[in-house]
Amino acid sequence: MKQIKHFDMRYYLHGDEKEDDPGIYYCRACDDFVPRKHFYEDCTEKNDFERFQRTLKIWKQIKKSGTQYTRPINAKNIFE
């Protein structure tokens, strides 16, 4: 019988730097990876720190539930 490998999926908080592409960050509002300037030029009407706080709270709930998602302890985030 062939063994299937399980790969965990990376969970990105608003403002997390993309692991394989330094200088690119996850924007929860756009659901996309964007350059740093995006947060100051394109999404200026939103409160990014509050959005980061909300995604952090969601992440803590997901983590407690025993999920296939992971987030490194030392993940870089521009709002921390």
Side-chain angles (χ1 to χ4, degrees), residues 11-24:
Y11 187 86
Y12 283 89
L13 301 183
H14 182 70
D16 272 359
E17 186 173 42
K18 192 172 182 185
E19 288 182 354
D20 60 349
D21 201 355
I24 301 297

Side-chain angles (χ1 to χ4, degrees), residues 2 4 12 26 28 35 42 50 52 54 67 69 78 80:
K2 187 175 182 179
I4 298 174
Y12 283 89
Y26 180 68
R28 174 89 182 223
D42 300 325
E50 286 180 13
F52 162 73
R54 284 194 306 271
T67 179
Y69 291 99
I78 60 175
E80 283 188 295

